[in-house]
Amino acid sequence: MSYCFDPALPVDAEVRRIAGDEIATIAALLREAPEGRQRSLHGARKRLKRLRGLIKLVREGDEDFHTRENRRFRDMARSLSAARDADALVETLDRFTTGPGARATADLAVIRTYLENRRDRIVREHAEREAVPAALASLAEAQAALEALALPRTRQEGARLLARGARAMVAKARRALKMARKGGGAEDFHELRKALKYHWMHLNLLGHMWPGRTPAHRRRADRLAEKLGELNDICAMYHMLDQEEAEIAAPEAVRTFRKLLAAREKTLRKACLSQAAALLEGEGKKLRSKIEREMRKAA
């Protein structure tokens, strides 16, 4: 089944269906690791983010449920993240050695060797295998909580709930954009990234019920979130270099890499601010009436 509300069905039933599908997929990824351990863990974490996007959309229906389950899914993702985070640093460096404008220098090769060895050590040492049984037990608890969730069942109440949740995330993204323009700190862009990623999820969850928004618009939102994700990866790389530069034992290489990171960061920040402003322009207008109209048509 799809990660999208069916306007013909009650909102509470659709929340349980979508969340149930995500929970079942996460459990299968954790139990069976069909794409290998690291890929499956990464896939599970992405699905946990989708679950968080869903419950944020219906947050006003049950604030206590949202607070509890959002924390559950966040903590579960963190418990599975160490090896993936280490692998993401290797991928961040690789962006500078492949594609247009690549810099396949000996300096970067030295740092890549360090990052690969670091990742392999973390994979060996981190107790993610111990985290999986705990995550599976927590997923079962989440499924039980879903079954007890009570949300509005009428068309009007359902439309209001979805519209308010979606508009709240748009408002959060606009506030984050304002702060990123004003402050420009790494945390400001991180908050913008999170808000826009959830906004992209809400675009997908509401589908054609979102007025005037097409699949192309959703793809633009996704690409923007990816750019912001790259900015977040650069921030993580800076943090690693600050903490472990002495262990890399190649000061000239690190200096060269920092210059490349700074140049890419500057380009990304400018592009992200411009694209975010364009994406959020007029977003969320007449949302409740369009959702309700689509529900009536589908009934």
Side-chain angles (χ1 to χ4, degrees):
M1 299 291 285
S2 66
Y3 185 74
C4 184
F5 278 85
D6 184 339
L9 299 175
V11 168
D12 63 336
E14 281 295 89
V15 170
R16 278 189 280 274
R17 174 189 66 78
I18 295 168
D21 288 347
E22 296 297 320
I23 288 171
T25 300
I26 293 166
L29 287 167
L30 295 180
R31 286 196 189 99
E32 302 162 17
E35 299 180 347
R37 180 169 170 247
Q38 292 311 315
R39 282 180 176 270
S40 295
L41 287 173
H42 184 47
R45 291 179 67 222
K46 289 172 68 175
R47 296 278 180 166
L48 286 165
K49 289 178 183 177
R50 282 158 59 108
L51 275 170
R52 293 178 70 191
L54 172 65
I55 63 175
K56 286 178 186 296
L57 183 60
V58 296
R59 176 176 186 163
E60 286 198 9
D62 189 331
E63 286 280 358
D64 290 341
F65 173 86
H66 168 268
T67 299
R68 184 179 63 251
E69 299 308 312
N70 184 59
R71 184 184 301 117
R72 180 200 304 279
F73 298 138
R74 180 201 65 196
D75 292 348
M76 198 185 307
R78 287 177 178 172
S79 75
L80 303 170
S81 70
R84 172 56 195 167
D85 291 346
D87 197 42
L89 291 178
V90 179
E91 293 175 0
T92 299
L93 184 140
D94 284 346
R95 293 190 187 109
F96 294 90
T97 62
T98 58
R103 295 285 296 270
T105 67
D107 287 339
L108 297 188
V110 168
I111 298 173
R112 193 182 197 284
T113 297
Y114 174 83
L115 291 175
E116 284 183 319
N117 292 337
R118 179 182 184 274
R119 176 194 60 197
D120 295 344
R121 172 177 53 77
I122 289 173
V123 168
R124 287 194 305 272
E125 295 176 357
H126 192 70
E128 281 169 344
R129 291 181 182 85
E130 297 175 12
V132 167
L136 289 169
S138 193
L139 285 172
E141 294 172 2
Q143 184 66 56
L146 265 172
E147 296 305 320
L149 176 64
L151 293 175
R153 294 187 58 84
T154 69
R155 183 186 305 123
Q156 293 82 359
E157 290 175 325
R160 178 179 180 273
L161 177 65
L162 295 177
R164 287 178 69 89
R167 285 201 302 263
M169 192 55 65
V170 170
K172 185 174 183 178
R174 286 183 175 134
R175 290 193 299 271
L177 175 60
K178 183 178 179 180
M179 292 303 298
R181 281 171 163 167
K182 182 179 179 180
E187 187 61 30
D188 297 323
F189 278 89
H190 181 56
E191 289 301 314
L192 178 60
R193 171 183 174 253
K194 289 192 297 183
L196 285 171
K197 194 69 175 178
Y198 288 128
H199 173 55
W200 169 72
M201 293 177 192
H202 293 172
L203 287 170
N204 282 282
L205 283 163
L206 294 177
H208 66 274
M209 289 192 288
W210 196 293
R213 294 312 181 226
T214 64
H217 180 78
R218 294 195 291 272
R219 287 193 295 271
R220 284 194 294 273
D222 188 31
R223 286 194 296 268
L224 174 56
E226 291 302 316
K227 282 189 174 71
L228 286 160
E230 187 179 344
L231 263 179
N232 192 60
D233 291 341
I234 288 174
C235 180
M237 184 67 80
Y238 279 139
H239 180 73
M240 187 281 300
L241 292 173
D242 290 343
Q243 298 294 315
E244 303 179 35
E245 182 172 350
E247 297 175 43
I248 298 172
E252 288 299 324
V254 171
R255 192 174 298 113
T256 297
F257 189 33
R258 283 185 182 274
K259 290 179 180 178
L260 294 174
L261 289 169
R264 180 59 178 160
E265 181 183 34
K266 182 179 180 180
T267 298
L268 282 170
R269 285 187 173 207
K270 183 178 180 180
C272 287
L273 291 175
S274 173
Q275 292 173 25
L279 184 79
L280 294 171
E281 179 68 29
E283 196 73 301
K285 291 182 178 179
K286 301 181 181 179
L287 187 54
R288 179 181 173 183
S289 60
K290 178 69 185 320
I291 292 173
E292 192 172 339
R293 185 164 63 250
E294 292 299 324
M295 287 179 170
R296 280 198 306 271
K297 286 166 55 179

